[in-house]
Amino acid sequence: RTAGAELCAMQLYIRGGAQRRTEATAGVEIMALRTAARGGTAELGKQAFHERLDALGSDLDVASANAYSVVAAKSLTEQFDATFRLLAGVFMQPAMPATEVELVRQQQLSSIKRRDVTPDGRLALLVRKTVYAGHPWAKLAAGTVESVTPLTLADLKQHLTGMRVTSRLVVVVVGDVAVDKVRATVRETLAKLPRGDYKHTAVPRPKFTAARV
């Protein structure tokens, strides 16, 4: 807690990351989260959801990394509760309109294709696949053209369902928000999800047994 802070940041981390990816599913997690974050919720359609965010002066975004994915938001301190409930709604009950799925897919494919043809992108890809050969981190969060193209709305919904277990979730709030307030808001939202049986396992160390070029 940071006394006197006018802004607060909140992050919902979903553990698992690359350890739960396969070559066939790489890219599904970030595509599902982007669709959820942009398409509104079961209670608020896309336009109403974003109008509500704007009215609160808040913003919300998602990302996916090696060890986790995250749904993150920032707001004025006094709008913490309302903003956190929007964040929770995106994760727990997203609208997932089919039109948004296709828009997110095309944007993701465009980004992947740029990565695969630009010199810097190809170099980064080569370094990653060489350094992390045989390691979970070799599988990119964005996926590949081959893995992202066939993904369906049903695939995205199924993947999100698998993420909605509290054993995978970590909530972080930074700002002038009382711990009791955070706990109460979480109990009324994310804590209603099933516990699940996720167990964190350490990522194996990359192995360098011989020179690779």
Side-chain angles (χ1 to χ4, degrees), residues 128-149:
R128 188 182 185 98
K129 290 192 172 183
T130 301
V131 171
Y132 294 115
H135 190 274
W137 289 4
K139 304 178 188 73
L140 297 171
T144 63
V145 171
E146 292 75 19
S147 65
V148 171
T149 299

Side-chain angles (χ1 to χ4, degrees), residues 31-176:
M31 183 173 165
L33 288 173
R34 283 173 177 158
T35 304
R38 299 177 187 181
T41 66
E43 182 179 349
L44 295 171
K46 178 178 178 178
Q47 182 173 343
F49 177 84
H50 290 286
E51 286 176 351
R52 177 62 173 152
L53 266 181
D54 290 343
L56 293 171
S58 305
D59 61 52
L60 184 147
D61 202 0
V62 299
S64 191
N66 288 331
Y68 58 82
S69 290
V70 61
V71 184
K74 295 179 182 178
S75 74
L76 296 171
T77 298
E78 59 267 28
Q79 302 298 352
F80 160 75
D81 185 79
T83 302
F84 191 91
R85 291 176 188 276
L86 291 178
L87 181 154
V90 156
F91 184 66
M92 297 171 69
Q93 294 182 311
M96 302 293 285
T99 52
E100 200 66 28
V101 172
E102 292 309 315
L103 177 59
V104 171
R105 185 201 313 279
Q106 293 308 316
Q107 291 172 340
Q108 192 160 323
L109 287 173
S110 177
S111 177
I112 291 169
K113 290 173 182 177
R114 284 197 304 272
R115 177 197 71 194
D116 291 349
V117 300
T118 61
D120 286 347
R122 288 181 63 83
L123 177 60
L125 192 61
L126 177 62
V127 169
R128 188 182 185 98
K129 290 192 172 183
T130 301
V131 171
Y132 294 115
H135 190 274
W137 289 4
K139 304 178 188 73
L140 297 171
T144 63
V145 171
E146 292 75 19
S147 65
V148 171
T149 299
L151 291 174
T152 66
L153 176 57
D155 293 330
L156 304 189
K157 289 182 175 180
Q158 181 179 21
H159 191 83
L160 287 172
T161 297
M163 298 171 73
R164 296 188 190 110
V165 291
T166 59
S167 53
R168 290 186 65 182
L169 307 182
V170 177
V171 174
V172 177
V173 176
V174 179
D176 192 7

